Amino acid sequence: MKPAPADPRTIEDAAALLQRGQLCAFATETVYGLGADATNSDAVLKIYETKGRPRFNPLISHCADMEMAGRFGDFSPLARSLADAFWPGPLTLVVPVKPGAGLSDLVTAGLDTVGLRVPAHPMAREMIAALGRPVAAPSANPSGKLSPTTADHVRTAFAGAVPVLDGGPCQRGLESTILAVTDEAVTQLRAGALAREEIEAFLGRPIALATPNAAITAPGMLKSHYAPNAPLRLEVAAPEPSEAYLAFGPGTAHAGPLLNLSETGDLREAARNLFSHLARLDASGAKSIAVAPIPQAGLGEAINDRLERAAAPRG
Ligand code: TXA
Ligand code: MG
């Protein structure tokens, strides 16, 4: 075994690791990403190896700003207006890739589109700006496991084998919303930390949702994703005493392990707590985790999507 690499102490150290073709995990406002130089195929391969991820999944390329994103993706006026409205922030735009711009085709998984995002965490943007190129990063967890929202989650998940630029706990706690954007059409490929209602309010019209058999889907939309080890039971108002309970809203009592996503019923707070609470209840050793009903409005759409995947039968 190679010795575990030391965590970078500064943003410049993290950029230097990426520059040398090494991986570095880093904080974004959504979840921690497992980053590699998106123009270096050897580096990008290490992401797939480290995560144990199926090769065909394309990766999001994180950019320091719109100028960098525009060097790698072809932005229609519609895509540009969405970027202007919501970047930096938890929105990934899937747009045509600019051929010859230098992105590794392992990042696009051979597609002619690329997922681009400018994260809202200042340390992430400074690290990417210091590298001067996009950073490809999936969530920094082994494939099929919970997404990490603290540096310690990342260290535990990879047994210290991945250096982490610690940027504190993630503010949003849920992955970015993914939209495929052409000249006219916007399709939501994945519900995420930016609520669909907010995007629709900006556009002034409803957006289409990708259906499971649509031509474009986000391969990360596999069932049985984001799974804790213990089985999950959803929409449970009265958990069994032997279960751990993930509650939502005021006035919850439970004899077994109990964590509340938000005592005040705030969906934003619930999103931020989702993965870390699931990880803690999973670690409690309870044989199953019961989850309270979560309203489907606003961020509830993305929270329920993650919960359904986590509860799906394991393949
Ligand atoms: O918040 C996030 O999005 C986090 C942080 C680290 O930025 N990243 C993240 O990455 O969740 P990942 O790899 O777990 O999910 C990326 C999703 C996958 O479902 C992938 O299929 C989709 O983005 N994706 C990327 N490029 C795509 C493309 N060209 N077409 C369709 N889907 C794409
Ligand atoms: Mg992920």
Side-chain angles (χ1 to χ4, degrees):
M1 283 268 292
K2 280 191 280 181
D7 284 346
R9 301 225 312 261
T10 64
I11 291 170
E12 289 69 30
D13 287 351
L17 281 173
L18 296 169
Q19 168 75 43
R20 289 200 299 274
Q22 304 297 313
L23 298 183
C24 184
F26 62 102
T28 80
E29 81 280 29
T30 60
V31 300
Y32 272 73
L34 181 60
D37 176 349
T39 66
N40 178 338
S41 290
D42 288 334
V44 174
L45 263 181
K46 290 179 188 164
I47 294 179
Y48 289 100
E49 285 161 4
T50 304
K51 275 186 73 92
R53 169 184 253 213
R55 289 280 152 99
F56 51 79
N57 260 16
L59 303 170
I60 295 172
S61 293
H62 298 72
C63 297
D65 50 30
M66 179 66 220
E67 187 277 319
M68 185 184 280
R71 282 195 270 140
F72 295 88
D74 218 339
F75 284 73
S76 68
L78 180 57
R80 181 63 205 235
S81 70
L82 286 163
D84 288 344
F86 295 110
W87 282 356
L91 175 67
T92 295
L93 296 173
V94 173
V95 299
V97 67
K98 280 196 171 159
L103 279 187
S104 162
D105 56 15
L106 291 168
V107 169
T108 53
L111 300 173
D112 53 11
T113 54
V114 60
L116 294 165
R117 153 167 135 77
V118 176
H121 200 302
M123 287 173 73
R125 284 203 310 281
E126 283 171 35
M127 179 188 79
I128 300 162
L131 179 68
R133 300 188 282 280
V135 172
S139 50
N141 53 281
S143 201
K145 299 290 181 188
L146 291 172
S147 297
T149 55
T150 65
D152 271 342
H153 288 167
V154 181
R155 296 189 185 105
T156 308
F158 294 113
V162 173
V164 189
L165 180 66
D166 191 338
C170 299
Q171 290 299 306
R172 299 289 192 137
L174 258 189
E175 293 89 347
S176 60
T177 301
I178 305 181
L179 299 180
V181 190
T182 62
D183 284 348
E184 329 258 75
V186 180
T187 307
Q188 179 173 281
L189 302 182
R190 178 176 76 182
L194 181 64
R196 181 157 53 92
E197 285 89 330
E198 251 188 89
I199 306 167
E200 291 176 336
F202 170 75
L203 293 172
R205 59 186 159 93
I207 52 184
L209 302 186
T211 54
N213 44 9
I216 345 165
T217 51
M221 302 300 283
L222 294 170
K223 273 212 165 159
S224 175
H225 211 74
Y226 312 101
N229 295 313
L232 237 59
R233 286 205 308 132
L234 303 184
E235 312 231 10
V236 178
E240 309 285 334
S242 64
E243 288 180 304
Y245 192 42
L246 186 62
F248 177 79
T252 314
H254 175 55
L258 168 70
L259 287 173
N260 199 319
L261 287 171
S262 170
E263 300 207 352
T264 59
D266 175 4
L267 287 165
R268 217 181 147 90
E269 183 184 19
R272 196 183 316 126
N273 287 329
L274 179 66
F275 292 124
S276 57
H277 278 16
L278 275 174
R280 280 168 62 195
L281 290 178
D282 207 19
S284 75
K287 66 175 192 331
S288 66
I289 302 172
V291 184
I294 313 288
Q296 183 65 8
L299 289 178
E301 182 182 359
I303 296 171
N304 283 318
D305 170 80
R306 301 302 183 279
L307 285 169
E308 280 155 28
R309 279 168 216 292
R314 313 291 156 80

